[in-house]
Amino acid sequence: MEEVAFTPTAWPNTAAEDAFNRVPGVLHDYVLQELRDGGAQLYRVSSSAGPGWLVTRVEERELVLCAAVGAGLVPALRAITAGALGAGYDTVRCHSGDWRVEQLYQRAGLKFLEVVYCARVNCGR
């Protein structure tokens, strides 16, 4: 397995913001809010394929990959499912509205489960 390093990084981070801004729609507003509130963690990903960025959050015993950009994401995903971000998780769940990222998930060995649709509800905010 290719060596991949994950460095927890504080938000805001200019380099990460620039990387996510180059791929519109990957870093959703609610994930940004989770980063600001401390409910999600930003990681800088380093591998021989190049740098990348990853946002995660934890839901009980599940690691949720909320957003990812950059090179080396396939080896990074393989490392994550092998326990690189900790062994305390039963599952890893990934979200994407981008078919290109879905292809990366499949190349990394993750299995397709479902499609999710969402609607915004006026809740007085």
Side-chain angles (χ1 to χ4, degrees):
M1 182 182 306
E2 180 179 339
E3 189 167 324
V4 180
F6 299 91
T7 306
T9 305
W11 185 266
N13 179 287
T14 303
E17 288 180 75
D18 290 347
F20 281 111
N21 286 337
R22 285 192 296 273
V23 188
V26 172
L27 189 60
H28 296 282
D29 289 342
Y30 71 90
V31 176
L32 274 172
Q33 191 60 48
E34 289 177 334
L35 282 166
R36 290 182 193 116
D37 295 344
Q41 175 64 56
L42 174 67
Y43 290 92
R44 177 174 170 71
V45 179
S46 302
S47 73
S48 61
W53 297 94
L54 181 67
V55 179
T56 68
R57 73 171 178 264
V58 176
E59 293 180 7
E60 297 181 14
R61 296 188 46 84
E62 183 169 58
L63 181 66
V64 181
L65 306 181
C66 305
V69 294
L73 293 178
V74 170
L77 289 167
R78 288 182 180 142
I80 289 168
T81 59
L85 292 181
Y89 307 111
D90 294 333
T91 56
V92 175
R93 184 176 81 230
C94 303
H95 291 268
S96 175
D98 186 325
W99 62 270
R100 295 166 295 190
V101 175
E102 289 180 34
Q103 288 182 336
L104 293 177
Y105 290 161
Q106 292 171 15
R107 285 183 33 215
L110 282 76
K111 306 296 179 215
F112 176 82
L113 291 180
E114 65 180 309
V115 173
V116 176
Y117 293 89
C118 178
R120 297 203 183 274
V121 178
N122 183 355
C123 54
R125 295 181 202 181

